[in-house]
Amino acid sequence: MNRLFANQWPLATNQQAGAGQEFIGLSDITGFLRHYVGTITACLAAALLVAWFYNSTTDPVFTASARILIEPKLPQHLQEGGEVNLSLDTAQIESQIAVLQSEKIASMVIGQLNLIEDASFNRPETPILQDRFRTIKDIMIQALGLQRNARLNALWGHIGLGAPESTARLNDYQKSRLSMLIFLNGLDVRRVGVSYAIDISFTSADPEGAAKIANATADAFVHEQIDTKADSAREGGAWLEKRLQQLRTQMNKAMARAQAFRSRHDYSVGGGPSDGDGVNSEPTLEELEVTADTYQKMYESFLQAYTNSVSQQSYPVADARVITAATPPLLPSAPKPKLVLAFAGVAGFILGIGLSFARHSFDWTIRSPRHIRDNLGIECVGELAPTSKRREFGSVDEVTRHPWSRYSQSLRKARTEISLAETNHPVKFLGLTAVSNNNQKSSVVSNLATLYSMSGLKTLVIDADVRRSTMTTRLLGGSDVRGKECQDSVRLNIIRAPGRRFDFLSSSVVDAKNLLMPKNMQAFLSEVCVDDATGYELAAYDIIIVDLPTFESGADDLTVGSVLDGVVVVAEWGKTHVDTLRELVRTLQAARTPILGALLTKARAMTSKHRRVAAKRSAFGSRQSV
């Protein structure tokens, strides 16, 4: 994976000592965005379409809020030492919130407002997908001004967007559970900061209904606390009353025993019968009186508790009170169209960038000179800009018709790079090949030959691509010598290209004389470079450009490149696969063919260096034309 990203985004390339480093620059980012603008735009449009669909098919809902305050204190009339304030910890507040969200409170509110029979309440908050498409159907009907007739309804019903089917009748238990789920889903209870206040919010499609339910929930919580305290006091009072009866009986028995002991006037201590150890078996008067006093005090204490319990049953006080009642909201809480559109726009843009980056990372086509250098080990001699969409890209006479176009300027730059290539001797025999059979290679050959001839160099073009003779077909058309008898000397078959400034040797002659054999091609090149007044009246050629066969035609035909001074590999931006191009380079190297570099055609994102050179030359040409 690291190798993959290093090939696509070579952030820093280690050079030799003294050389700088290459980083991703602004031009790389703008080129990336320019190339994948379609993908990014499509993702953005899809996200906005989904957002519009959501906003158009989602019914607005309203949220009403009530606020209660938990007061952890005891009433003053039930305390002896005045008012005592208690403190609540987080667990106790969360316990109160759990009570508010319990089904007990929900049952109280549902029963009080009779929500089970309320059709608007039992409607689901989020419509199903079929209902959403049905809403879109209604919007389209209103927008187009269509009438709801039988044929239109039949059409919508055929695609599944007809009238909704009636749901099966539910029993009472299913209705109650459905209402319970809707209530709990719409209820939201939250603590306000670190205070003892609690917000009770309810979301519903009816703003007045949302306010009623929020207020009813707050009131139900307060009444639940009162009822709980009253029930606890009632149960405690009943137990205290039963206990008082037991204590009263025990107290009366103890007092009766003490009174009976006094009636016998036996006040002696230790005078009663004793067991074998010398301990009295009968209790003394003092013991009986202490037992009677103890039962009396217990009875009085329980009597006081019973009195307090009766008071709490009569005056139960809740620890919570409503401080803010809910009112019907004026604006819906959801959906929020602007927020949804903004979120969809950001999400669509991020998705587009991510998808584009994924496509770029797994795209193994040639897209930059740096990609050529890092993957093939050869230099890029130039980048040819695409021509106008109104004319054919890379036509054979592009540099003649549009001499100051971006294509012509970038081809001049490539010609200079080829001339300055590091070879043992000047480049006089130049070959061009490509991976596949396309028109880019032949167009480059024709325009490059035109540039050489325009600079005063005698130029010869040899169409050695015998399997697909694009140059011969374009230049000679139907006047090709294919099928005719060729002259014995190959030089005698050289003609002046119609309407061009360079000479041309057709593919039929190359095929007939078997010039794809390295020894035959070498003999021919030696022949045409000798000054001879006989034959075709031309002096020695300054530059000979050979339109070599492509790698797709076969590796055997490329061995002829070994007799040339250098070969340039033509690659198309965004279409030529790096693996196939690597195989072509290895084939040429195996045949000991000197490779001058690669020429990148139809480059949509040129490097800043090539772009600056093209701009300067274009400006210079404009001044000359003026």
Side-chain angles (χ1 to χ4, degrees):
M1 184 61 68
N2 294 332
R3 177 177 177 270
L4 171 63
F5 289 107
N7 291 333
Q8 298 294 336
W9 294 97
L11 297 179
T13 305
N14 296 327
Q15 305 292 346
Q16 297 179 353
Q21 290 182 333
E22 296 183 4
F23 296 92
I24 290 180
L26 182 61
S27 60
D28 298 325
I29 298 176
T30 55
F32 172 81
L33 296 177
R34 189 184 306 111
H35 175 64
Y36 293 104
V37 63
T39 302
I40 298 174
T41 304
C43 292
L44 182 60
L48 293 178
L49 181 62
V50 172
W52 172 82
F53 178 80
Y54 175 79
N55 290 331
S56 301
T57 58
T58 302
D59 296 332
V61 293
F62 301 84
T63 302
S65 299
R67 180 170 296 182
I68 63 175
L69 181 65
I70 306 298
E71 295 179 323
K73 62 181 181 180
L74 296 176
Q76 183 175 2
H77 68 278
L78 298 180
Q79 302 180 29
E80 298 179 358
E83 183 175 318
V84 178
N85 292 325
L86 303 178
S87 61
L88 298 178
D89 56 8
T90 303
Q92 291 175 312
I93 296 295
E94 293 296 331
S95 300
Q96 301 293 343
I97 294 177
V99 172
L100 279 167
Q101 295 176 337
S102 64
E103 292 190 1
K104 181 179 180 180
I105 300 295
S107 299
M108 296 173 63
V109 177
I110 292 174
Q112 178 184 354
L113 300 180
N114 195 19
L115 297 179
I116 296 179
E117 304 299 333
D118 192 348
S120 61
F121 173 80
N122 292 296
R123 184 182 61 179
E125 179 181 348
T126 303
I128 60 177
L129 187 61
Q130 186 177 4
D131 293 338
R132 293 182 182 275
F133 280 108
R134 191 176 295 110
T135 304
I136 293 295
K137 178 198 70 172
D138 296 336
I139 294 176
M140 293 175 58
I141 291 176
Q142 295 177 1
L144 299 178
L146 301 177
Q147 300 293 330
R148 290 179 175 270
N149 50 36
R151 295 183 60 185
L152 185 61
N153 290 332
L155 176 63
W156 289 114
H158 180 70
I159 62 177
L161 299 180
E165 299 179 358
S166 58
T167 58
R169 186 175 183 84
L170 303 177
N171 54 36
D172 295 339
Y173 174 75
Q174 293 174 338
K175 288 182 179 180
S176 63
R177 296 308 303 173
L178 177 62
S179 300
M180 181 71 67
L181 291 177
I182 295 176
F183 180 87
L184 295 177
N185 290 333
L187 182 65
D188 184 24
V189 181
R190 297 183 182 182
R191 182 179 182 180
V192 181
V194 295
S195 65
Y196 293 156
I198 299 177
D199 272 340
I200 303 173
S201 303
F202 192 84
T203 302
S204 176
D206 183 14
E208 296 183 357
K212 290 180 180 179
I213 294 176
N215 291 328
T217 304
D219 294 339
F221 176 72
V222 174
H223 286 90
E224 192 274 340
Q225 280 200 337
I226 295 176
D227 294 341
T228 300
K229 287 190 174 183
D231 293 340
S232 299
R234 189 179 302 108
E235 293 178 1
W239 183 83
L240 288 174
E241 185 177 1
K242 182 178 179 180
R243 183 58 177 161
L244 281 174
Q245 293 179 0
Q246 295 176 357
L247 290 175
R248 185 185 304 111
T249 303
Q250 294 175 355
M251 181 186 66
N252 293 334
K253 289 181 179 181
M255 294 181 67
R257 292 185 62 185
Q259 186 66 27
F261 190 89
R262 292 192 192 95
S263 63
R264 295 197 301 267
H265 304 285
D266 187 4
Y267 299 102
S268 62
V269 179
S274 60
D275 53 12
D277 296 333
V279 179
N280 294 331
S281 59
E282 294 291 335
T284 62
L285 177 62
E286 290 79 3
E287 293 176 348
L288 295 176
E289 289 178 351
V290 170
T291 302
D293 292 340
T294 301
Y295 280 113
Q296 183 178 4
K297 290 180 180 179
M298 292 176 59
Y299 178 79
E300 292 176 354
S301 177
F302 273 83
L303 182 61
Q304 180 66 31
Y306 178 75
T307 305
N308 294 336
S309 175
V310 174
S311 301
Q312 291 182 6
Q313 295 182 33
S314 303
Y315 306 100
V317 179
D319 295 337
R321 59 188 177 92
V322 179
I323 58 176
T324 302
T327 56
L330 300 178
L331 299 177
S333 58
K336 298 180 180 180
K338 295 182 179 179
L339 182 61
V340 172
L341 289 175
F343 176 78
V346 174
F349 182 77
I350 295 176
L351 178 62
I353 293 293
L355 184 59
S356 301
F357 183 77
R359 291 182 56 191
H360 182 82
S361 300
F362 294 96
D363 183 9
W364 286 92
T365 57
I366 300 297
R367 294 186 180 275
S368 67
R370 183 168 32 183
H371 201 185
I372 295 176
R373 180 172 57 255
D374 295 339
N375 289 275
L376 305 177
I378 60 177
E379 294 295 329
C380 180
V381 297
E383 297 176 84
L384 301 185
T387 58
S388 174
K389 295 181 180 179
R390 293 175 295 179
R391 59 182 184 273
E392 182 185 1
F393 165 74
S395 60
V396 294
D397 55 354
E398 176 69 21
V399 295
T400 304
R401 294 185 178 183
H402 308 279
W404 303 112
S405 63
R406 292 182 61 195
Y407 178 86
S408 301
Q409 295 292 348
S410 55
L411 187 59
R412 289 188 179 92
K413 171 66 171 53
R415 182 193 63 179
T416 305
E417 294 287 344
I418 294 174
S419 301
L420 298 178
E422 296 182 0
T423 56
N424 296 330
H425 47 80
V427 178
K428 188 171 185 178
F429 306 122
L430 176 64
L432 280 84
T433 185
V435 171
S436 59
N437 295 323
N438 53 52
N439 298 330
Q440 307 303 323
K441 173 175 63 68
S442 300
S443 300
V444 172
V445 170
S446 176
N447 286 281
L448 188 60
T450 302
L451 285 180
Y452 278 114
S453 61
M454 291 174 62
S455 61
L457 300 178
K458 294 186 180 300
T459 307
L460 172 64
V461 175
I462 301 176
D463 186 7
D465 192 358
V466 295
R467 299 183 184 274
R468 181 168 179 168
S469 54
T470 304
M471 283 286 298
T472 302
T473 303
R474 285 191 172 187
L475 296 179
L476 303 181
S479 61
D480 188 10
V481 294
R482 182 181 301 275
K484 298 181 181 181
E485 183 179 357
C486 299
Q487 300 293 334
D488 293 336
S489 176
V490 180
R491 283 192 58 187
L492 300 179
N493 295 283
I494 298 175
I495 62 174
R496 174 60 62 90
R500 306 296 189 276
R501 299 183 181 183
F502 55 85
D503 297 332
F504 181 70
L505 184 64
S506 65
S507 60
S508 59
V509 178
V510 174
D511 190 17
K513 301 299 182 180
N514 199 15
L515 294 184
L516 289 180
M517 295 293 294
K519 61 179 182 178
N520 296 340
M521 179 63 74
Q522 187 174 10
F524 168 72
L525 295 178
S526 301
E527 178 186 355
V528 298
C529 292
V530 176
D531 293 334
D532 191 358
T534 61
Y536 198 80
E537 296 180 359
L538 286 177
Y541 290 103
D542 297 310
I543 182 72
I544 296 178
I545 303 177
V546 182
D547 188 1
L548 293 173
T550 61
F551 183 67
E552 192 176 87
S553 300
D556 296 338
D557 295 339
L558 295 176
T559 57
V560 70
S562 59
V563 302
L564 304 178
D565 294 332
V567 173
V568 175
V569 179
V570 179
E572 186 173 353
W573 188 94
K575 289 187 177 181
T576 303
H577 200 276
V578 64
D579 292 338
T580 310
L581 191 60
R582 185 183 294 112
E583 292 296 328
L584 173 58
V585 173
R586 289 177 180 175
T587 301
L588 295 176
Q589 292 174 347
R592 297 183 179 180
T593 300
I595 302 177
L596 302 180
L599 182 61
L600 191 58
T601 64
K602 204 174 182 180
R604 298 181 183 178
M606 298 178 62
T607 59
S608 58
K609 176 182 177 181
H610 292 164
R611 189 163 50 248
R612 288 196 301 268
V613 173
K616 291 180 180 178
R617 294 193 177 188
S618 179
F620 177 74
S622 300
R623 290 196 298 269
Q624 281 189 338
S625 61
V626 175

